[in-house]
């Protein structure tokens, strides 16, 4: 059986900068309201002004590191594509290829709802989420974390050399799971991946295989 990531010399995954939806969700959660939608579709939420600045800072950091990327991939979602476009202005590397397998988790009927909104509008689903935990719960019309992991396995098998990916928090956390850095119990304890906007996570190959060398590093934003 082919080992996931066996062709990689290094893998750098960055989370997109802050999106308009990220900001709207924070405001909605603090206000204890039910919805935070910032676009008709999750795929269409653009970067906020802060997010655009974060993307530029990310590009400068990557340029200073001088990694020789052989392949650049991006989620097709607007927030990831915009982050790639801004950051890559500072780099001399291949044009990014869009891959839908790197998209964010689809949340189905829970799209645009805060935790308060889920409890009030879908109490049975909220109870099921609490029973199963964040890892295995699949909202109607959406994906569980293993569903996302399945599509990530296929794209990781195709990667080779030094690769840069612009994607989402769940892509980063589930790549750690697929590489053996996290187990199911650790992931089930959380209902959402906790990775900072425009942060850098990197695996580098040594004699023992791919090693996590950087995780959730956003020092360039401080």
């Amino acid at each position: 059986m082919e080992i996931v990531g066996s062709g990689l010399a290094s893998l750098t995954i960055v989370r997109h900068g802050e999106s308009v939806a990220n900001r709207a969700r924070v405001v909605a959660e603090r206000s204890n309201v039910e919805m935070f939608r910032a676009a008709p579709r999750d795929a269409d939420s653009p970067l906020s002004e802060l997010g655009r600045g974060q993307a530029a800072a990310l590009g400068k950091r990557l340029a200073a590191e001088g990694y020789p990327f052989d392949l650049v991939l991006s989620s097709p979602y607007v927030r990831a594509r915009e982050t790639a476009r801004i950051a890559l202005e500072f780099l001399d590397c291949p044009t990014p290829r869009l891959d839908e397998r790197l998209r964010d988790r689809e949340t189905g009927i829970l799209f645009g709802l805060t935790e308060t909104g889920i409890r009030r509008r879908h109490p049975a689903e909220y109870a099921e989420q609490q029973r199963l935990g964040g890892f295995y719960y699949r909202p109607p019309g959406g994906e569980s974390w293993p569903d996302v992991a399945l599509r990530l396995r296929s794209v990781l098998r195709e990667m080779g050399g030094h690769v840069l990916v612009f994607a989402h928090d769940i892509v980063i956390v589930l790549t750690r799971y697929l590489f053996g850095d996290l187990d199911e119990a650790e992931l089930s304890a959380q209902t959402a991946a906790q990775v900072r906007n425009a942060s850098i996570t990197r695996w580098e190959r040594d004699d023992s295989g791919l090693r996590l060398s950087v995780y959730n590093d956003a020092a360039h934003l401080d």
Side-chain angles (χ1 to χ4, degrees), residues 39-148:
R41 303 187 310 167
D42 186 31
D44 298 329
S45 181
L47 294 180
S48 65
E49 182 178 355
L50 174 61
R52 292 190 292 273
Q54 290 173 334
L58 169 66
K60 293 175 183 177
R61 163 81 179 270
L62 291 172
E65 291 179 341
Y67 249 79
F69 296 114
D70 305 305
L71 173 66
V72 181
L73 298 173
S74 175
S75 159
Y77 282 18
V78 169
R79 54 190 179 274
R81 294 192 343 248
E82 287 187 339
T83 301
R85 177 183 58 78
I86 295 170
L88 293 177
E89 291 177 357
F90 300 90
L91 298 169
D92 181 16
C93 60
T95 300
R97 287 168 31 193
L98 302 183
D99 195 310
E100 71 282 350
R101 292 170 294 181
L102 296 169
R103 70 187 187 278
D104 208 347
R105 178 193 178 200
E106 296 178 2
T107 54
I109 66 169
L110 306 185
F111 170 59
L113 295 178
T114 63
E115 183 176 349
T116 296
I118 296 171
R119 286 201 316 267
R120 291 175 180 172
R121 298 187 181 200
H122 302 285
E125 292 301 322
Y126 181 78
E128 186 70 355
Q129 184 185 71
Q130 299 306 301
R131 183 182 73 83
L132 290 176
F135 189 73
Y136 284 114
Y137 171 71
R138 179 190 292 118
E143 296 177 297
S144 67
W145 288 39
D147 292 332
V148 180

Side-chain angles (χ1 to χ4, degrees), residues 135 145 148-149 152 169-178 187:
F135 189 73
W145 288 39
V148 180
L152 287 178
D169 51 1
I170 195 169
V171 170
I172 295 168
V173 171
L174 284 177
T175 300
R176 292 191 64 193
Y177 168 74
L178 293 174
L187 290 176

Side-chain angles (χ1 to χ4, degrees), residues 10 33-34 36 43 64 78 107 111 114 151 154 159 164 168 189 221:
S10 72
V33 298
E34 296 182 1
F36 66 92
V78 169
T107 54
F111 170 59
T114 63
R151 51 180 164 88
S154 64
M159 294 180 186
L164 172 62
H168 309 272
L221 304 182

Side-chain angles (χ1 to χ4, degrees), residues 3 6 20 23 34 50 63 99 104 107 112 114 118-119 124 137 146 152 156-157 181 183 189 193 200 206 216:
I3 299 174
S6 60
V20 172
R23 171 55 55 186
E34 296 182 1
L50 174 61
D99 195 310
D104 208 347
T107 54
T114 63
I118 296 171
R119 286 201 316 267
Y137 171 71
L152 287 178
L156 287 168
R157 287 194 181 100
D181 302 323
D183 60 26
I200 296 172
D206 59 21
N216 199 19

